[in-house]
Amino acid sequence: MTDPVMQSFGDRIWIADAAPVSVAGFHYPTRMVVIRLADGGVMAVSPVALTSKLRDAVAALGPVRHLIAPNALHHLFLGDWAEAFPEAKVHAAPGLRAKRKDIRFDADLGDAPDPDWAGDLEQVVVRGNLITEEVVFFHAPSRTVLFTDLLQQFPRGWHAGWRGVVARLDLMVGAEPAVPRKFRAGFVNRRAARQAVARILTWPADNVLLAHGAPVMSNGQAFLTGAFRWLMR
């Protein structure tokens, strides 16, 4: 297994890109976000495949106190991280407790931040989607919004053959990250989704991180306004 490399992304925030995972024959690049909180504790958001080198790199930043699954799709490696860091508090996105009864969860993610990170991050649950309800975070020190699956972008040619056609039709290979068509169709309660996105659009974002795609490195608030224009009309 290739070891992911931790890279600094901003003020007390790091990313680690890992090997792709396969979902229904589609290969998805994976990325986790690691944040050192004001109190010195560390949180790992959407943990990727655990290696000894990555475990040591994260632990070197400080005591690992929080493991975050931002939606009910990003859970494959959460159990491994919970075993590696038994003192860490494991947080479940809506719907994940029922899906992964084998994992010990300590808290459920909602619209209010945990007291341990209330001074560092804001968050909101984007509700009303049949596929998954995703918790989106705003890391104030780096002015970065953290998305998981609601925004995606794959390089052209990443998927071949009929999968490439599906990816194109699903808006996964555009010039900039976009909400895939399947997620757009999954919003059966658009009123709830609009309320959450309206809050996201108030955050003074410079950057946008996503699990599947290149980060947006400037004018994040303007980018998000355009990315969700279809929903907010």
Side-chain angles (χ1 to χ4, degrees):
M1 180 185 297
T2 302
D3 277 306
V5 177
M6 292 270 290
Q7 303 174 63
S8 175
F9 188 77
D11 184 8
R12 293 188 282 116
I13 182 170
W14 293 261
I15 59 174
D17 293 348
V21 298
S22 180
V23 179
F26 288 83
H27 296 287
Y28 285 76
T30 55
R31 171 180 295 133
M32 71 182 292
V33 178
V34 181
I35 295 169
R36 185 167 58 216
L37 303 173
D39 66 0
V42 171
M43 65 187 294
V45 183
S46 193
V48 297
L50 181 66
T51 67
S52 58
K53 185 175 180 179
L54 182 59
R55 179 196 62 211
D56 293 346
V58 173
L61 298 176
V64 179
R65 293 182 178 149
H66 301 282
L67 302 173
I68 312 293
N71 66 33
L73 302 177
H74 276 239
H75 58 83
L76 294 180
F77 309 109
L78 190 62
D80 295 336
W81 282 78
E83 289 184 14
F85 297 100
E87 301 302 317
K89 193 174 179 180
V90 184
H91 300 259
L96 189 53
R97 279 184 184 266
K99 189 173 185 177
R100 291 298 304 270
K101 295 181 179 179
D102 58 312
I103 296 178
R104 176 264 306 167
F105 289 105
D106 303 294
D108 295 292
L109 296 167
D111 293 319
D114 185 283
D116 282 359
W117 66 70
D120 296 89
L121 295 109
E122 297 181 46
Q123 67 192 66
V124 66
V125 183
V126 182
R127 306 182 190 276
N129 199 291
L130 290 175
I131 299 174
T132 191
E133 294 188 331
E134 181 166 306
V135 184
V136 179
F137 295 91
F138 176 63
H139 182 242
S142 66
R143 298 171 69 94
T144 301
V145 180
L146 279 58
F147 277 87
T148 308
D149 287 322
L150 286 180
L151 288 170
Q152 298 182 26
Q153 183 191 31
F154 293 80
R156 290 189 179 276
W158 180 270
H159 297 107
W162 66 267
R163 291 185 178 87
V165 175
V166 171
R168 178 174 54 81
L169 294 176
D170 201 25
L171 304 179
M172 295 164 62
V173 292
E176 59 184 17
V179 181
R181 276 203 171 98
K182 58 180 172 289
F183 280 95
R184 298 185 188 203
F187 279 114
V188 293
N189 186 343
R190 293 203 169 190
R191 179 179 180 183
R194 288 189 187 104
Q195 289 176 343
V197 172
R199 184 174 165 194
I200 291 169
L201 296 181
T202 68
W203 293 337
D206 290 334
N207 315 304
V208 180
L209 274 173
L210 42 151
H212 313 299
V216 174
M217 301 295 292
S218 63
N219 301 316
Q221 192 175 48
F223 159 74
L224 291 172
T225 298
F228 286 96
R229 187 169 287 119
W230 63 273
L231 177 66
M232 304 304 286
R233 290 171 181 161

